Amino acid sequence: MAGKPKLYYFNGRGRMESIRWLLAAAGVEFEEEFLETREQYEKLLQDGALLFQQVPMVEIDGMKMVQTRAILSYVAGKYNLYGKDLKERAMIDMYVEGTRDLMDVIRVHHKLSPKEKEKNLALIEEKATTRYLPVYEKVLDDHGQDFLVGNQLTWADIQLIEAILMAEEKVSTILSRFPLLQVFKARISNIPTIKKFLQPGSQRKPPPDEKLVVTANRVFNRK
């Protein structure tokens, strides 16, 4: 029997958080090794574990996988969260890339100066409410199902709920004009594996802060 997947990253969200979400939604238990020192990172490099000298890295099924997108695709395929055919996978990929674009705008927020944060909050709200959320609202309306693709939970749904919750942390009223997404959020959040991941004490990480930046700078030897 294969062991649990093991995740190598910082004790924070970053690019590993979507992987945590996907594994948790699939009901897969996983272990984590948090990078806190330069020595840990150098050992991974010396062991040849980091193909492109980057994390996230996930040990799964005898592989040391890197590159976030590759890891997510593998996990989605392995645990039946990647649609039933090539067309569904294409739709899932499109929706996932859309949420990724929105999440990238949110992800940099904690690194900005107070003045820049004010501008970025306005940018998050504008992009979310005029470019991204209207798309998913329309998809749910046109599709007429509980999920974005097909009639079962996929990677696209999981990453959308992650993105919605990230956006709500910055702008609490972000869904006020999107009734179908409000229902979607409540429904997906109540799926047992996801509900468990959203509870205090789970492996879900809090919003990033200055401490995470300091740790990353130390590990990567940034000035």
Side-chain angles (χ1 to χ4, degrees), residues 3-16:
K4 297 176 185 177
K6 188 170 183 179
L7 283 51
Y8 293 79
Y9 201 66
F10 308 103
N11 187 12
R13 288 184 184 175
R15 297 196 175 276
M16 185 65 89

Side-chain angles (χ1 to χ4, degrees), residues 128-148:
T129 59
T130 65
R131 182 182 295 188
Y132 296 107
L133 297 181
V135 171
Y136 299 109
E137 183 82 0
K138 187 175 187 302
V139 168
L140 289 169
D141 192 23
D142 292 348
H143 188 46
Q145 300 287 336
D146 289 346
F147 308 102
L148 291 173

Side-chain angles (χ1 to χ4, degrees), residues 125 129 133 137 164 168 171-182 185:
E125 184 168 15
T129 59
L133 297 181
E137 183 82 0
I164 286 171
E168 285 186 326
V171 183
S172 62
T173 58
I174 204 90
L175 289 186
S176 60
R177 294 191 278 119
F178 304 100
L180 294 180
L181 283 173
Q182 292 173 32
K185 174 194 165 188

Side-chain angles (χ1 to χ4, degrees), residues 4-21 23-24 28-36 40 44 56-59 197 201-206:
K4 297 176 185 177
K6 188 170 183 179
L7 283 51
Y8 293 79
Y9 201 66
F10 308 103
N11 187 12
R13 288 184 184 175
R15 297 196 175 276
M16 185 65 89
E17 191 71 355
S18 292
I19 298 167
R20 297 183 185 108
W21 264 93
L23 286 167
V28 178
E29 294 184 1
F30 56 88
E31 299 174 351
E32 299 189 80
E33 180 170 318
F34 299 129
L35 300 185
E36 297 177 346
Q40 285 175 287
L44 289 173
M57 190 273 278
V58 175
E59 288 183 341
F197 189 59
S202 79
Q203 287 168 291
R204 184 183 179 217
K205 302 301 182 267

